Amino acid sequence: MILSFSIAYKFPIIIYKNVNICEIRRGRIVFCSPIKVGLLQIGRHGVGTIDLKKTRTMLEISGTLMVLGKASIGSGSKII
């Protein structure tokens, strides 16, 4: 996935710590809304009961991930 500079400088994707991106070359992410900061947040923790030292988010996209609006993939999630 390659973002053009006109889109990338707006930081539409924010990746937090403990995120393992396994495979994304064959897949793609499509934004179907106006591009703005933090439109897609990956690995965000918001629940206080998760052990952040041992929990990680795994992301493997082989198809198309369509983002229709603001989205958050939480800490400990696995998208395959």
Side-chain angles (χ1 to χ4, degrees):
M1 176 186 70
I2 298 174
L3 296 176
S4 65
F5 181 75
S6 63
I7 294 174
Y9 84 94
K10 296 179 183 178
F11 293 105
I13 302 173
I14 297 177
I15 300 175
Y16 292 85
K17 66 179 183 176
N18 293 334
V19 174
N20 184 8
I21 299 176
C22 303
E23 180 74 35
I24 201 166
R25 287 181 290 176
R26 293 180 293 174
R28 62 187 184 134
I29 299 174
V30 177
F31 295 101
C32 298
S33 62
I35 302 296
K36 57 185 175 182
V37 175
L39 193 58
L40 176 60
Q41 300 176 2
I42 302 171
R44 182 176 185 197
H45 59 278
V47 181
T49 58
I50 295 177
D51 183 8
L52 297 176
K53 292 182 181 179
K54 297 182 181 179
T55 303
R56 69 177 179 193
T57 304
M58 296 179 69
L59 184 65
E60 180 178 337
I61 300 174
S62 296
T64 302
L65 176 64
M66 296 185 70
V67 180
L68 302 176
K70 190 169 185 177
S72 179
I73 299 171
S75 180
S77 300
K78 293 182 182 178
I79 306 292
I80 297 178

